């Protein structure tokens, strides 16, 4: 179990580096590798923290593409962040969620409420 968590952390770091370098497809693959390892581990705080980071990182890559999958990743990341009760990742999730709501409300069909 510990090895899977360690490997997932490595995949997450690799994904972040690839995303920063502009390698979107390879970053998404690294995040998928992290998710594969993390979902093989029984629920625990460390796992939930890493899951939150991975889903929020995937959201960051997809949000500008307008993909429906991005919103799914945001919801999962937000949920895992709340479950983990880790202040750092929870703060990131809260900020991203508020940005999402503000952008949604600024759209013409939502702004007229």
């Amino acid at each position: 179990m510990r090895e899977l968590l360690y490997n997932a952390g490595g995949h997450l770091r690799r994904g972040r580096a690839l995303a920063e370098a502009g390698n979107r497809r390879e970053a998404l693959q690294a995040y998928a590798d992290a998710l594969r390892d993390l979902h093989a581990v029984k629920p625990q705080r460390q796992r939930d923290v890493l899951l939150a980071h991975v889903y929020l990182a995937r959201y960051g890559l997809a949000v500008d593409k307008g993909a429906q999958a991005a919103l799914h990743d945001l919801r999962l990341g937000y949920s895992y962040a709340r479950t983990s009760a880790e202040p750092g990742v929870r703060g990131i999730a809260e900020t991203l969620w508020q940005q999402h709501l503000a952008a949604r409300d600024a759209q013409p069909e939502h702004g007229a409420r």
Side-chain angles (χ1 to χ4, degrees):
M1 297 279 194
R2 176 105 16 247
E3 183 176 336
L4 287 172
L5 290 172
Y6 181 78
N7 289 342
H11 294 310
L12 175 60
R13 286 187 297 278
R14 183 169 47 99
R16 286 179 174 161
L18 289 164
E20 190 175 302
N23 264 329
R24 185 177 184 277
R25 185 197 317 253
E26 291 177 32
L28 289 171
Q29 182 57 54
Y31 295 146
D33 293 342
L35 291 174
R36 181 196 64 233
D37 287 348
L38 291 168
H39 284 294
V41 175
K42 69 179 180 172
Q44 58 183 278
R45 186 169 189 243
Q46 176 87 21
R47 169 192 173 256
D48 290 350
V49 169
L50 286 170
L51 280 167
H53 278 292
V54 173
Y55 280 117
L56 295 173
R58 278 192 358 171
Y59 168 74
L61 281 178
V63 67
D64 62 334
K65 303 291 184 199
Q68 186 64 25
L71 183 55
H72 180 71
D73 285 341
L74 176 59
R75 286 182 174 141
L76 286 172
Y78 184 82
S79 177
Y80 279 113
R82 288 181 52 112
T83 300
S84 76
E86 172 67 33
V89 73
R90 190 166 182 174
I92 294 167
E94 291 286 345
T95 298
L96 290 173
W97 186 254
Q98 291 304 318
Q99 290 173 349
H100 161 71
L101 293 177
R104 183 199 66 185
D105 290 346
Q107 293 176 349
E109 65 272 8
H110 287 94
R113 300 194 257 191

